[in-house]
Amino acid sequence: MARSALDEMSDSGAFLRTASTFRNFILRDPSSQFPAESGRYHLYISYACPWASRCLAYLKIKGLDKAISFTSVKPRWERTKESDEHMGWVFPSSDTEEPGAVPDSLNGAKSIRELYELASTNYSGKFTVPVLWDKKLKTIVNNESSEIIRMFNTEFNHIAENAALDLYPPHLQTCIDETNEWIYDAINNGVYKCGFARKQGPYDEAVKKLFDALDKCEEILGKQRYMCGNTLSETDIRLFVTLIRFDEVYVVHFKCNQKQLHEYPNILNYTKDIYQVPGMSSTVHMEQIKRHYYGSHPTINPFGIIPHGPNIDYSSPHDRERFS
Ligand SMILES: N[C@@H](CCC(=O)N[C@@H](CS)C(=O)NCC(=O)O)C(=O)O
């Protein structure tokens, strides 16, 4: 039976994310199995998904969106097959059914699940986005966003319009790797551990870790513009995708309400700063984000009601230039 994140549970009631399966790398070397070529790859995303959004952010800010095509699925999970109960990402049946989402013209798939089944006959994992698809070999290259963004950062620089932007420069790699680790555990994945916990203990633990980590970010961002100094890096993009969903979704839906982001002046201004990096705002579709979370997890929000607020304007002025 196909699984989703809602089934990833330990005996103690804690959310336990399983590892991604397709882990091939696109390389600049033309003789490699997956060479970096313009027009060859396609990125399947959901605008709702933070992991997919970090890949889309890279396409936009590296100037790769002409070389690598992308499409988004519909925001709410639906039945992916008539023969079982699996709920997951599906494509609309026409261009007009759902703003921002389009049918799958590459493979004619009805769901992301069908793409996994095309790529592998014995796949037994989750049918997640992002999916980086090879149009030539008709298979999934990679479905792990942390690796996809590394490829986009370095391997396509002969094609990228903004090749000079290096979000993982050698002198920052130690800071980036160390910071990513605690941010992933406590914040990016931490909000899911809060939201998907089925017992009080694992929830309490996740919430404490989350807000300790946010306090730490607030302190760091009181001294410098970005998480690893005064240069934008991979860590900022990875942190941003969770922060932008925080007050609108995670505070309510995942019970992360000990504090809201607007109570953290440095984090709030920092989120605006990243949102205003050219290209970034086009990766944020708040309506789709809210429709996905509030509408796709019936065990958390059985009636699918979408809260109205708080509608923060991330395009409003921020104070981060004080560090430049
Ligand atoms: N490790 C993956 C995680 C991706 C992931 O969990 N995506 C979620 C959406 S935000 C998904 O597609 N879930 C489908 C499911 O749980 O069935 C990555 O970072 O690329």
Side-chain angles (χ1 to χ4, degrees):
M1 173 58 196
R3 293 152 45 88
S4 83
L6 293 165
D7 309 311
E8 293 180 303
M9 204 52 56
S10 75
D11 292 342
S12 66
F15 171 61
L16 273 185
R17 187 181 290 278
T18 45
S20 306
T21 305
F22 293 90
R23 309 298 282 267
N24 288 304
F25 267 77
I26 297 174
L27 298 172
R28 204 172 336 185
D29 176 359
S31 64
S32 60
Q33 188 190 7
F34 297 102
E37 288 168 7
S38 182
R40 175 159 171 174
Y41 301 98
H42 186 84
L43 183 68
Y44 288 103
I45 60 150
S46 160
Y47 280 110
C49 170
W51 318 102
S53 294
R54 63 194 193 185
C55 301
L56 179 62
Y58 267 69
L59 279 196
K60 295 286 179 179
I61 63 180
K62 285 287 294 186
L64 279 171
D65 49 336
K66 291 195 195 86
I68 301 172
S69 50
F70 71 93
T71 47
S72 175
V73 291
K74 288 165 69 168
R76 282 177 73 147
W77 287 351
E78 291 178 20
R79 288 271 293 276
T80 54
K81 267 196 188 158
E82 286 180 8
S83 52
D84 63 40
E85 301 293 307
H86 176 256
M87 301 286 288
W89 302 111
V90 297
F91 295 95
S93 50
S94 74
D95 284 347
T96 49
E97 185 187 328
E98 184 82 48
V102 289
D104 177 34
S105 58
L106 279 182
N107 296 296
K110 299 268 181 297
S111 65
I112 290 292
R113 177 181 185 173
E114 275 184 37
L115 297 175
Y116 279 84
E117 290 172 348
L118 278 174
S120 162
T121 45
N122 56 359
Y123 181 72
S124 61
K126 291 186 299 172
F127 307 112
T128 53
V129 288
V131 168
L132 184 57
W133 183 264
D134 181 354
K135 299 180 200 174
K136 189 168 172 192
L137 298 181
K138 294 198 186 313
T139 195
I140 298 174
V141 181
N142 195 301
N143 69 337
E144 172 48 50
S145 61
S146 59
E147 294 176 354
I148 296 172
I149 61 176
R150 291 272 167 97
M151 297 174 214
F152 289 174
N153 186 54
T154 52
E155 301 307 312
F156 289 86
N157 280 342
H158 56 298
I159 303 168
E161 284 169 10
N162 197 4
L165 176 71
D166 184 359
L167 293 164
Y168 190 58
H171 69 289
L172 292 182
Q173 287 177 3
T174 307
C175 174
I176 292 172
D177 290 340
E178 282 172 9
T179 316
N180 284 350
E181 204 172 312
W182 59 264
I183 287 182
Y184 171 79
D185 183 46
I187 302 180
N188 302 132
N189 198 34
V191 292
Y192 284 87
K193 288 193 261 185
C194 297
F196 288 161
R198 294 205 183 164
K199 294 234 167 89
Q200 189 69 41
Y203 165 78
D204 290 344
E205 199 183 307
V207 162
K208 168 142 190 8
K209 232 177 175 178
L210 168 65
F211 284 93
D212 284 351
L214 287 173
D215 289 346
K216 187 167 165 184
C217 292
E218 178 68 6
E219 197 192 320
I220 293 170
L221 294 170
K223 297 187 206 123
Q224 58 196 40
R225 185 162 179 173
Y226 303 110
M227 286 304 289
C228 285
N230 286 319
T231 314
L232 180 75
S233 79
E234 178 187 290
T235 301
D236 301 302
I237 307 300
R238 290 176 48 132
L239 178 55
F240 170 80
V241 295
T242 300
L243 298 179
I244 196 79
R245 288 162 176 74
F246 203 86
D247 283 6
E248 306 286 346
V249 174
Y250 301 144
V251 166
V252 178
H253 188 62
F254 283 172
K255 305 183 186 76
C256 302
N257 66 343
Q258 195 168 300
K259 263 169 121 176
Q260 300 188 20
L261 281 202
H262 63 76
E263 295 170 73
Y264 288 108
N266 291 312
I267 298 181
L268 180 66
N269 277 282
Y270 163 84
T271 308
K272 291 182 185 176
D273 190 10
I274 311 293
Y275 180 82
Q276 292 169 33
V277 168
M280 284 300 285
S281 64
S282 72
T283 69
V284 180
H285 283 231
M286 199 53 83
E287 203 215 319
Q288 297 214 17
I289 292 172
K290 291 178 77 165
R291 281 177 57 208
H292 164 64
Y293 282 96
Y294 292 113
S296 301
H297 305 138
T299 47
I300 302 179
N301 192 26
F303 299 109
I305 305 289
I306 303 173
H308 275 200
N311 302 315
I312 296 164
D313 179 8
Y314 290 98
S315 59
S316 63
H318 62 77
D319 63 4
R320 305 299 295 166
E321 267 141 20
R322 71 186 199 269
F323 294 111
S324 309

